[in-house]
Amino acid sequence: MPAQPAILVARAVFPETVERLRQHFDVEHNPDDTIYTKAQLIERLRGKAGAFTTGSERIDAEVLAANPQLRVVANMAVGYNNFDIAACTAAGVLATNTPDVLTETTADFGFALMMATARRMAESEHFLRRGEWTRWAYDMFTGSDVHGATLGILGMGRIGQAIARRGALGFGMRVIYHNRSRLPAEQEAPIGARYVDKATLLREADHLVLVLPYSASSHHAIGAAELAQMQPTATLTNVARGGIVDDAALAAALRERRIAAAGLDVFEGEPAVHPELLTLPNVVLTPHIASATVATRRAMAELAADNLIAALTGGTPPTPINPEVLAGRR
Ligand code: 8YV
């Protein structure tokens, strides 16, 4: 029997997924869940035809040049800012991600984080746990309404639209959005979404939610200048990527109450968190868990495995990022 292709599963993942991959490949996996340095990643990839990666593995020209035998990198994430796609394509390496399977779960979490931020749920819970709740007061933890408010979405892709649906159809919110391109009218109509320029979005949103991909052009899309355009009563929620928000500028705006509150699931330089954010009461902080339900993480792992298996066994990978690589192989 010919030897099976070798692959690296770069982070710990469901044992069932590793078992499934073993039916097709000679698998090196990482049950200790070590986060590899670049040198370690290069070393582990030696002789591997494929890699199962997560956001913590950066696949760039150097990693690819050191491993010319590599044919596919399958990310267990919809975001792929950890991949240099141009370098992958130039090296003839197929890159894949996991869209769709996490859309609704991530939208649930984005909406929940926005609500927790508007209604001060974390701050009031901490107050209660500290034993400071001794009586009712008319203005105790008064926040801002979500129902009927203006929901602003920056980045109206699949997840942005799913959050907009929740706001419009479930909470009677007025939806405004800004995106690289405007949605077709038939997608705007059911949720009454109005396309606006970025300045209008910043000025009019009561609750601004960020759901855009991270790239050089979205780096610090929300910085001091943008925060200054928001209403002092507004909230900001980020379930996209760290680096889209200038966390130091956000901490200053929250400290000076130039915006009311923020909800953050992602951070610049995570898992490190800007130290001032940790000291502020008006920010809800979660550790990059928007896609974290058991069912969705399983679906993400399975889709990454589907891509890897198809790419290395002559099938059609379901969710390629650079399908031109496949066309070039035929
Ligand atoms: C992942 C995510 O958990 O899919 C994404 O883009 O941010 C999360 O769902 C994370 O990237 C780990 O790969």
Side-chain angles (χ1 to χ4, degrees):
M1 209 176 81
Q4 293 182 318
I7 66 156
L8 174 69
V9 178
R11 294 288 307 276
V13 70
F14 297 102
E16 296 83 351
T17 306
V18 176
E19 272 320 300
R20 186 175 160 220
L21 290 167
R22 281 197 199 289
Q23 290 165 20
H24 302 269
F25 306 120
D26 177 5
V27 178
E28 175 179 335
H29 74 134
N30 180 4
D32 296 337
D33 210 22
T34 305
I35 307 232
Y36 299 136
T37 61
K38 179 181 271 201
Q40 286 171 327
L41 181 63
I42 286 174
E43 197 46 46
R44 298 279 172 185
L45 284 171
R46 292 233 189 274
K48 307 295 193 303
F52 182 116
T53 60
T54 71
S56 49
E57 288 71 50
R58 171 120 190 99
I59 304 293
D60 61 12
E62 192 184 342
V63 171
L64 295 166
N67 282 284
Q69 80 295 335
L70 198 60
R71 299 184 61 215
V72 53
V73 286
N75 220 26
M76 181 181 152
V78 65
Y80 49 85
N81 53 297
N82 55 313
F83 287 173
D84 180 337
I85 294 298
C88 287
T89 305
V93 171
L94 180 74
T96 67
N97 66 339
T98 60
D100 303 319
V101 292
L102 48 60
T103 299
E104 299 300 330
T105 295
T106 304
D108 281 350
F109 190 89
F111 207 84
L113 187 56
M114 182 263 282
M115 290 196 80
T117 303
R119 296 301 308 275
R120 305 175 63 178
M121 293 182 80
E123 185 186 358
S124 58
E125 203 233 16
H126 293 156
F127 165 88
L128 182 153
R129 284 181 189 267
R130 287 193 303 267
E132 291 176 27
W133 184 30
T134 54
R135 57 189 181 151
W136 178 91
Y138 79 97
D139 60 350
M140 192 168 84
F141 293 108
T142 47
S144 60
D145 277 325
V146 169
H147 74 274
T150 297
L151 173 61
I153 309 248
L154 185 57
M156 197 63 150
R158 288 168 286 233
I159 299 169
Q161 290 174 52
I163 292 174
R165 274 199 303 279
R166 283 160 175 73
L169 307 179
F171 290 78
M173 299 181 87
R174 171 179 169 255
V175 176
I176 55 176
Y177 74 99
H178 184 70
N179 197 41
R180 271 174 308 190
S181 51
R182 187 174 169 173
L183 293 180
E186 63 271 20
Q187 276 173 268
E188 285 184 349
I191 46 174
R194 187 162 66 91
Y195 182 80
V196 294
D197 60 26
K198 191 175 168 189
T200 306
L201 183 81
L202 294 168
R203 195 175 59 241
E204 293 189 6
D206 294 313
H207 304 295
L208 178 61
V209 182
L210 309 180
V211 213
L212 65 170
Y214 181 68
S215 67
S217 60
S218 64
H219 180 72
H220 287 187
I222 301 293
E226 289 75 19
L227 291 162
Q229 295 172 63
M230 293 175 67
Q231 305 177 56
T233 49
T235 72
L236 174 72
T237 298
N238 186 5
V239 286
R241 276 288 179 276
I244 292 174
V245 175
D246 177 343
D247 284 349
L250 175 62
L254 290 167
R255 175 180 7 100
E256 294 162 14
R257 305 276 167 169
R258 285 187 272 113
I259 67 168
L264 305 174
D265 187 48
V266 289
F267 304 87
E268 278 190 289
E270 63 185 53
V273 176
H274 189 287
E276 191 178 0
L277 290 173
L278 297 170
T279 69
L280 295 167
N282 52 342
V283 56
V284 185
L285 306 166
T286 53
H288 201 149
I289 56 167
S291 69
T293 66
V294 176
T296 290
R297 286 285 166 82
R298 283 194 186 278
M300 292 165 68
E302 287 303 299
L303 181 52
D306 291 344
N307 276 306
L308 209 44
I309 293 165
L312 293 177
T313 61
T316 304
T319 51
I321 301 164
N322 56 351
E324 60 273 28
V325 168
L326 290 173
R329 281 183 195 167
R330 286 193 184 109

